[in-house]
Amino acid sequence: MSTLPKPQDVGKTVVETPKQLLRVYFPKITVLITTISREGRVNIMTAAWHTPISLSPPIYGVSISLKRYTYELLKEVPEFVVNFPTIDILEKVNLAGTVSGREVDKLKELGLTPVQAVRVKPPLIRECYAHLECRVIDMKEYGDHVWVVGEVVAIEYEERCFTQELLVDIAKVKPVLYLGKGKYTTTENKVYTP
Ligand SMILES: Cc1cc2nc3c(=O)[nH]c(=O)nc-3n(C[C@H](O)[C@H](O)[C@H](O)COP(=O)(O)O)c2cc1C
């Protein structure tokens, strides 16, 4: 028999058969995903479920619900841009994550500025401080989401937002961190080097 303490004994609440993923993984850095239709209609979607997958070659993944207009567009044109916004444009970030591009031209409605990407069709968003241009190399359904994997084919960033060793300068950049249920936070100006 295990001599380890039980989770309940050390103050943990246990959900043994979760019906839904609890939001315990937040806060997460939040991005704006740009996509484009075959006819050239641009869409923006807010995403918190995204991550780097490989350093070399550079590969990035985003989890996108089967219901999203963004998913439809990715099937038409399998390219996307991951744009990193700051807390200064939080209202726009939140709105891009609450209305669908099926009903609204979000680029226009949010007053965000498209910039021509160098290697993919969807544009960058000027108001963001960094961008990953991605070409889809794989899409696979997991539950109610699709894991969209993209090879990063170009990267843009604003030098003034990064330190000399090319880390985000958090004295200048306040990233958008999602907490869930329409709530957000950002970083404090402190760097720890353990
Ligand atoms: C902060 C935030 C993060 C979100 N993250 C994701 C995500 O990672 N994947 C996803 O499919 N939807 C996510 N959503 C929901 C979509 O952004 C939202 O449903 C959006 O309206 C979809 O737009 P579309 O239909 O134009 O693609 C998020 C919403 C918010 C507000």
Side-chain angles (χ1 to χ4, degrees):
M1 224 181 71
S2 171
T3 53
L4 297 178
K6 293 196 175 91
Q8 298 91 324
D9 299 340
V10 293
K12 319 281 181 196
T13 298
V14 178
V15 184
E16 272 202 70
T17 48
K19 291 196 180 76
Q20 217 183 319
L21 186 58
L22 298 181
R23 296 172 173 84
V24 295
Y25 48 79
F26 284 130
K28 270 191 170 292
I29 195 157
T30 301
V31 294
L32 296 173
I33 305 290
T34 37
T35 46
I36 197 165
S37 74
R38 227 178 271 114
E39 291 74 37
R41 185 163 189 265
V42 173
N43 191 43
I44 307 174
M45 182 199 109
T46 306
W49 291 8
H50 60 96
T51 185
I53 297 175
S54 163
L55 208 53
S56 183
I59 298 175
Y60 210 83
V62 189
S63 186
I64 296 181
S65 163
L66 292 158
K67 296 181 197 153
R68 308 288 180 244
Y69 181 50
T70 295
Y71 176 48
E72 263 176 55
L73 293 184
L74 281 170
K75 285 186 280 183
E76 281 187 27
V77 178
E79 297 180 335
F80 61 95
V81 179
V82 183
N83 301 274
F84 291 78
T86 62
I87 205 85
D88 309 296
I89 59 164
L90 180 60
E91 274 184 27
K92 295 175 198 280
V93 172
N94 187 57
L95 216 66
T98 44
V99 294
S100 176
R102 275 190 205 95
E103 283 99 47
V104 179
D105 179 345
K106 287 192 251 184
L107 195 60
K108 218 175 186 180
E109 197 71 25
L110 299 175
L112 291 168
T113 319
V115 174
Q116 182 65 59
V118 295
R119 299 202 56 199
V120 298
K121 291 187 199 77
L124 320 180
I125 296 174
R126 182 178 173 174
E127 290 78 4
C128 295
Y129 64 89
H131 318 266
L132 306 174
E133 295 187 22
C134 300
R135 276 199 196 119
V136 174
I137 54 172
D138 196 25
M139 290 210 261
K140 191 167 178 212
E141 279 185 41
Y142 290 98
D144 52 10
H145 278 60
V146 185
W147 184 232
V148 179
V149 178
E151 181 180 0
V152 180
V153 292
I155 299 171
E156 289 88 2
Y157 65 96
E158 291 184 21
E159 278 182 21
R160 66 183 176 86
C161 295
F162 288 80
T163 63
Q164 272 191 336
E165 48 179 348
L166 262 185
L167 298 176
V168 171
D169 186 346
I170 63 148
K172 295 180 186 145
V173 174
K174 294 276 159 246
V176 177
L177 303 179
Y178 193 45
L179 288 169
K181 303 214 165 177
K183 293 190 167 62
Y184 299 83
T185 186
T186 188
T187 49
E188 60 174 337
N189 189 9
K190 251 188 204 170
V191 176
Y192 304 87
T193 313

